[in-house]
Amino acid sequence: MSRFERFLTLWVALCIVAGVGLGHLFPTVFQAIGSAEVAKVNLPVAVLIWLMIIPMLMKVDFGAMRQVGQHWRGIGVTLFVNWAVKPFSMAALGAFFIGYLFRPYLPAGEINSYIAGLIILAAAPCTAMVFVWSNLTRGEPNFTLSQVAVNDAIMVVAFAPIVGLLLGLSAITVPWETLLLSVGLYILVPVVIAQLLRGALLRRGGEAALQRTLAAIGPVSLTALLATLVLLFGFQGEQIISQPLIIAMLAVPILIQVYFNSALAYLLNRFTGEAHCVAGPSALIGASNFFELAVAAAISLFGFSSGAALATVVGVLIEVPVMLTVVAIVNRSKGWYERGGAVRRVAAARPSEAVLDRKPERFAKEDGEVAT
């Protein structure tokens, strides 16, 4: 994780300030940008979103799905949390906190839009930052890669139906044409482009060429994200200045969801006997979000200045510091995790599934035991 990535929260905060300030100083410029639309898709933002998403999707090797059977417990747990729990738990949290508890303190006309943004955020499992979180927890790289590949493949077909279902349950009119256009524009097309570029680089120069290219274009992705945030907050400035507590209130259900889903995935992996090197990234994949896609979908569905767009941006604001706390919890609880009865039984029955650690002697000293 580069120094620039580690301070992502700081850069996001500066973008908030810059966006709000520029929105006040140059309102006509932001209005012109906001009006540059084709079929409800903002063209400047579409370009920025592609610059964000395509470099991240180039890291995904869909051929890794062949390895799914090696870690079927962890794969099963993560898919269950990502697709059967996470979007629905966020819909419930959004309805309670935004639709009920905080309702008197929020703009009445934006309540449904805020809830919609939270749902869109939860329905997009993380793709890129998962590799960072997995590395920080000494996660099994083959599991991480295969899980991301499976998640992205499912997201292509499941994102629109789940979002549409939950928005309908939240009594929000679903603009299906725009939703399907968003899926095509921000999932299908970037996946195809990313895989074509990945394949061309691998054929031309192998893995080394791919890694050099990813390292070179990595800053472009984050810069595009920050530029998008400046635009978003340029349109949201008036609302934020008039009610600054909105961001804090939107952060509450997001924080609860992150800790709830990561804990659920971690405990389910321990219950099924999965190795810690799989359970760690599984918990992190189950908790984090593909916020670039969420921001793009929210803008396409509800517009630049909508509460939905603001809700997804709050997810960006708190993503890095919150996920780093989850990483710390996963790492510090490794000894407790490996003392689980199911973990011991599976490791003993299948030595190939024993805990994989780069420095087993250090953990043997700390925990007083080594998996068999």
Side-chain angles (χ1 to χ4, degrees):
M1 195 176 189
S2 68
R3 179 175 298 179
F4 187 78
E5 290 171 325
R6 285 199 299 272
F7 289 96
L8 181 59
T9 299
L10 173 61
W11 312 139
V12 171
L14 291 175
C15 286
I16 293 176
V17 176
V20 172
L22 291 172
H24 281 283
L25 293 173
F26 307 103
T28 55
V29 174
F30 282 84
Q31 290 171 8
I33 294 173
S35 62
E37 292 184 347
V38 174
K40 296 184 179 180
V41 174
N42 185 274
L43 297 181
V45 174
V47 172
L48 290 173
I49 295 296
W50 277 25
L51 291 176
M52 275 192 267
I53 294 177
I54 290 175
M56 298 176 181
L57 291 176
M58 286 176 64
K59 299 178 182 179
V60 180
D61 177 13
F62 284 97
M65 287 192 290
R66 294 191 298 267
Q67 304 170 357
V68 167
Q70 298 178 17
H71 307 288
W72 61 269
R73 298 178 189 83
I75 295 284
V77 166
T78 314
L79 291 180
F80 171 72
V81 172
N82 272 344
W83 298 106
V85 176
K86 188 177 173 186
F88 301 92
S89 63
M90 180 59 94
L93 289 169
F96 175 72
F97 284 101
I98 305 304
Y100 172 69
L101 191 62
F102 298 150
R103 190 181 192 93
Y105 313 103
L106 294 168
E110 293 288 352
I111 298 295
N112 286 341
S113 186
Y114 292 139
I115 296 173
L118 294 174
I119 290 172
I120 292 170
L121 184 67
C126 188
T127 292
M129 292 299 286
V130 164
F131 295 104
V132 176
W133 310 137
S134 177
N135 184 59
L136 293 177
T137 58
R138 302 186 180 206
E140 164 56 43
N142 289 330
F143 165 78
T144 304
L145 192 59
S146 57
Q147 179 65 80
V148 168
V150 172
N151 258 332
D152 282 5
I154 293 175
M155 188 159 52
V156 169
V157 296
F159 180 77
I162 288 179
V163 169
L165 170 66
L166 291 176
L167 294 188
L169 292 177
S170 299
I172 299 169
T173 301
V174 181
W176 279 102
E177 291 183 3
T178 306
L179 179 58
L180 294 175
L181 178 62
S182 297
V183 171
L185 190 63
Y186 299 124
I187 300 180
L188 284 174
V189 174
V191 164
V192 172
I193 293 175
Q195 292 304 301
L196 289 175
L197 292 174
R198 177 187 174 88
L201 286 169
L202 289 174
R203 287 191 298 272
R204 186 177 305 169
E207 185 66 24
L210 175 63
Q211 294 304 320
R212 285 195 303 270
T213 303
L214 290 175
I217 65 177
V220 174
S221 181
L222 283 177
T223 301
L225 169 63
L226 297 178
T228 304
L229 296 184
V230 171
L231 293 179
L232 281 172
F233 281 98
F235 284 97
Q236 296 281 357
E238 293 292 340
Q239 186 175 339
I240 293 171
I241 290 175
S242 62
Q243 298 195 57
L245 289 178
I246 289 177
I247 291 179
M249 287 185 281
L250 290 172
V252 171
I254 297 174
L255 286 170
I256 294 175
Q257 187 231 199
V258 168
Y259 289 119
F260 169 73
N261 285 296
S262 59
L264 177 63
Y266 197 51
L267 293 174
L268 286 175
N269 275 291
R270 190 174 190 260
F271 177 78
T272 60
E274 189 57 90
H276 185 268
C277 61
V278 170
S282 173
L284 295 159
I285 294 170
S288 54
N289 303 300
F290 192 175
F291 49 74
E292 296 85 357
L293 172 62
V295 170
I299 293 171
S300 294
L301 293 173
F302 298 97
F304 246 131
S305 58
S306 66
L310 180 60
T312 57
V313 171
V314 174
V316 183
L317 180 64
I318 66 175
E319 170 91 0
V320 172
V322 172
M323 292 308 299
L324 287 175
T325 65
V326 177
V327 166
I329 293 170
V330 168
N331 286 338
R332 292 175 182 175
S333 64
K334 184 176 188 292
W336 167 82
Y337 183 94
E338 292 181 351
R339 287 192 288 271
V343 177
R344 288 172 174 270
R345 286 193 298 273
V346 170
R350 298 182 181 179
S352 62
E353 293 187 4
V355 174
L356 302 175
D357 198 287
R358 298 172 188 170
K359 296 182 179 180
E361 69 280 358
R362 182 169 69 86
F363 287 104
K365 185 180 297 183
E366 291 177 358
D367 303 333
E369 60 185 14
V370 177
T372 56

